[in-house]
Every structure is written in C-alpha cells, then in structure tokens.
Amino acid sequence: MKNPFPTVLKAARMARKGRPLSAALLWQRALMPTLPKPPRVTKGKSAAKKVDRVVRPAPGSFIESDYSCAQGSLRYRLYTPVGSTRRRLPLIVMLHGCTQSAADFATGTAMNRLGDELGFLVLYPEQSPRANPNRCWNWHSPSHQKRGSGEAAVIAGMTRHILDRCRGHAGRVYIAGISAGGAAAAIIAAAYPQLYVAVGVHSGVPMGAIGSVGEALAAMRGQAVPPIGKTTPPLPMILFHGDSDRVVHPSNASGFVSQLQRSSTRALSVESEAGVAPGGRAFTRSFYRYGRGPVMLEEWTVHGSGHAWSGGYAGGSHTDPKGPDASRAMATFFLARRRSL
C-alpha cells in the first residue's frame, strides 16, 4: 500500500486554509485501502476466456483422432496442408475400401501431396473391424443409407466437425472413395447434398434397391436389378473404373449414367476422348451434361486396369501405378466447383 503520510499533511494544510471538504476527501483517500480496479468488460463479448477452444492442426501435420456423435463413433486421420493458417481451406473426405486403413489409403492415393500443392484439407474416416471384420463400409445396409442414421450420419457429422475445427470452407466440401468406400460416398453425398458439393467414385456401385449382403454381391457382379422411374438429381460426379475389374463389374459405371438420365427430362449429351497415361494405360474419358450446361458426370474408363486406384502408389494397397492419376483428376474436378454461401 502507498505511504499515506504526505496525503495526511496535505489534508491538514487544506483544513487550516478553510477548505474542509477538500481536506475530508484527502483524509479518506489516505486512510482507506486501495481497491483493485474492476475487470474491463467488452460489449458484445464474453468476459470468460474459452480455454477449451480447439485450433487447426499445424501445417503439414497428419494427425489421428476420434469423433463421436449420437449415431456412433469413428477414428480418423486428418492432413493439414503446408501454407498459411489464415486461409479457409477446401475439404476432401476420402473413404477407403475393404481391408484398408486410413493411413494405407492416404499412402496409395497420395492425396496429401496434392493437398500441399493445391491447398486443401484431407479427411480419412476409418472403419472399425468391430463394425465390419473386413473394414468395409456397410453401404449395403438400409440403416447406413439414409440421412440421420448409421455411418452416413457419423461421417457427415465428422465432416462438419472438421470444418469447424479447421475453419474449412463450407462451400468447398467434397467426398470420394473406392469400392465399398465409393458406394458409401455416393450414398452419403445423396443423403447430405447441402453439405457436399461434388462426389468421386472409384470402382464403386451406384445407389439402388440394395438392402442386404446378397443384393450387394449381385450388384458387384453386375447383376443388380436396375432402378426405374425418376430419381433425385445427383451432385456433380467424377467416376473411375477399370474395364478389367473382377471385384466390382465394370458395368456398374453405366448405372451412374442411368441415374443421371432418370433425374431430368432434358436430353443428356456426351463427348469422349481417348488417351494414354504416362504409366502406359490407355483410357477413355467421357463428359456428360445437359445441353450446353456444366459437366455433371466425368467418367474415366481405364483399359486393362483391375480393382485398384488408378495412378496410385505401390506403397499402398489396391493401386495401379500404370493408370491415369485419379487423385489429381478428382481434386481438379472438385476444386473447380463451389457453392455460394
């Protein structure tokens, strides 16, 4: 406490000069203890500090974590690209295939490397062997095929969680997968069209009247009963399939085209081009659109390729390094599309 003696002397002089009020105020200041200043309150903001606020992971990091909600829980891997932490980044959600893990899928697709180059987050949800012994997504079960239920709801909730955690760009969110992951990606995109902007399917099965393991196996053999009647317009899609695939029959690719045709009364036009990838695989690339409108479906048929991620790296499972680069093609397709917020 500050020494009160000088203030007391000053108060006495004030009293002798006939200024009792000033003297009294000085006496009060001298004899009362100094009180701490009240905390400063900023209008419109909480005075309490948010100590539990989660921040975006460091640039270049590949973290592992868990997500839980009312519909279930999953582990995931998240890659944050190098560069500025102030940007609102696009987000690509990647769903692995059967027997794969998130880390394995990341290695095989090299999508993290493209994240650094093009500037986007990459989220890899990982299926638990408790939910499926082969780590397949349960896309064949009705409980996982609709909004607000099962794996579809968990992955959509995880997507929102990552957008919030990493300050992602809500108008630039995409989902892709291979095999069971490709089928699941198509289902989740259809269930949450306000969340995702476009979808990528590699070696997958189109949505249809599939409600059991038997029906799923029939569809994978190319024996699914084709749906009839009008359907909801799908999100823009990029599709890859090897024409020598012995796990998911290549005819499944035509199911996605059929879905697009049935979603509108407008005529669907197609333009195709042929090429050869640097690795040696020939391919046919087709663009489907309504009239002169934007491309709604970009289809790549990789000639001679089997059930494998085209252009992938041998360090990951189920990859075909000889084919065109599916990861780059999908990232380019996605980033060209955004939704106004």
Side-chain angles (χ1 to χ4, degrees), residues 57 67 75 85 105 126 196 211 238 251 290 293 324 329:
Y67 171 77
R75 288 195 69 74
T85 60
F105 195 41
E126 184 173 83
Y196 302 98
I238 180 168
S251 63
Y290 297 118

Side-chain angles (χ1 to χ4, degrees), residues 4 32 37 54 58 62 82 110 151 164 185 216-217 234 250 266 272 285 305 321 325 329:
M32 289 186 64
K37 293 182 179 181
V54 181
F62 193 30
V82 297
E151 292 166 2
D164 181 62
L217 291 173
R266 294 173 292 173
S272 298
R285 185 184 183 191
S305 186
D325 190 343

Side-chain angles (χ1 to χ4, degrees), residues 146 148 253 325 328:
K146 55 188 178 181
D325 190 343
R328 183 173 292 277

Side-chain angles (χ1 to χ4, degrees), residues 87-163:
R87 295 175 296 163
R88 283 198 174 276
L89 296 172
L91 170 63
I92 297 180
V93 181
M94 296 285 288
L95 301 180
H96 62 75
C98 296
T99 73
Q100 292 182 311
S101 66
D104 175 27
F105 195 41
T107 299
T109 61
M111 194 63 84
N112 295 355
R113 187 179 303 177
L114 282 173
D116 284 338
E117 179 185 336
L118 303 177
F120 56 83
L121 299 156
V122 196
L123 171 63
Y124 302 88
E126 184 173 83
Q127 178 64 298
S128 166
R130 295 189 300 273
N132 188 294
N134 291 320
R135 287 190 181 271
C136 302
W137 300 103
N138 293 301
W139 59 275
H140 58 273
S141 171
S143 62
H144 299 288
Q145 295 175 351
K146 55 188 178 181
R147 186 182 183 91
S149 176
E151 292 166 2
V154 178
I155 292 171
M158 181 189 294
T159 302
R160 295 192 187 98
H161 168 70
I162 295 302
L163 283 174

Side-chain angles (χ1 to χ4, degrees), residues 273-277 280-285 300-301 303 324:
E273 62 183 29
V276 178
R281 296 275 188 213
F283 62 86
T284 302
R285 185 184 183 191
W300 293 67
T301 301
H303 304 298

Side-chain angles (χ1 to χ4, degrees), residues 24-273:
L25 291 173
L26 287 171
W27 275 103
Q28 184 180 28
R29 184 187 302 174
L31 299 178
M32 289 186 64
T34 303
L35 297 177
K37 293 182 179 181
R40 183 179 179 183
V41 178
T42 304
K43 292 183 178 180
K45 296 183 179 179
S46 172
K49 185 178 180 181
K50 294 182 178 179
V51 296
D52 59 344
R53 184 173 179 269
V54 181
V55 297
R56 179 191 290 180
S61 63
F62 193 30
I63 68 165
E64 185 174 13
S65 190
D66 297 281
Y67 171 77
S68 296
C69 63
Q71 290 77 23
S73 61
L74 288 170
R75 288 195 69 74
Y76 67 83
R77 298 292 296 264
L78 172 67
Y79 184 72
T80 304
V82 297
S84 172
T85 60
R86 303 178 68 179
R87 295 175 296 163
R88 283 198 174 276
L89 296 172
L91 170 63
I92 297 180
V93 181
M94 296 285 288
L95 301 180
H96 62 75
C98 296
T99 73
Q100 292 182 311
S101 66
D104 175 27
F105 195 41
T107 299
T109 61
M111 194 63 84
N112 295 355
R113 187 179 303 177
L114 282 173
D116 284 338
E117 179 185 336
L118 303 177
F120 56 83
L121 299 156
V122 196
L123 171 63
Y124 302 88
E126 184 173 83
Q127 178 64 298
S128 166
R130 295 189 300 273
N132 188 294
N134 291 320
R135 287 190 181 271
C136 302
W137 300 103
N138 293 301
W139 59 275
H140 58 273
S141 171
S143 62
H144 299 288
Q145 295 175 351
K146 55 188 178 181
R147 186 182 183 91
S149 176
E151 292 166 2
V154 178
I155 292 171
M158 181 189 294
T159 302
R160 295 192 187 98
H161 168 70
I162 295 302
L163 283 174
D164 181 62
R165 174 177 184 176
C166 299
R167 295 182 68 251
H169 195 305
R172 307 185 72 185
V173 185
Y174 318 96
I175 187 168
I178 185 172
S179 193
I187 288 170
I188 296 167
Y192 295 91
Q194 295 80 22
L195 177 60
Y196 302 98
V197 176
V199 57
V201 178
H202 201 310
S203 311
V205 174
M207 292 177 59
I210 298 174
S212 68
V213 173
E215 290 170 344
L217 291 173
M220 291 168 62
R221 292 192 295 266
Q223 300 170 354
V225 177
I228 58 175
K230 192 174 181 180
T231 185
T232 304
L235 292 176
M237 176 181 289
I238 180 168
L239 178 67
F240 270 78
H241 215 120
D243 63 6
S244 295
D245 192 333
R246 296 184 179 181
V247 177
V248 176
H249 197 275
S251 63
N252 277 284
S254 64
F256 292 100
V257 179
S258 174
Q259 182 184 12
L260 191 60
Q261 289 173 324
R262 292 183 293 108
S263 68
S264 176
T265 56
R266 294 173 292 173
L268 189 65
S269 63
V270 58
E271 298 177 1
S272 298
E273 62 183 29

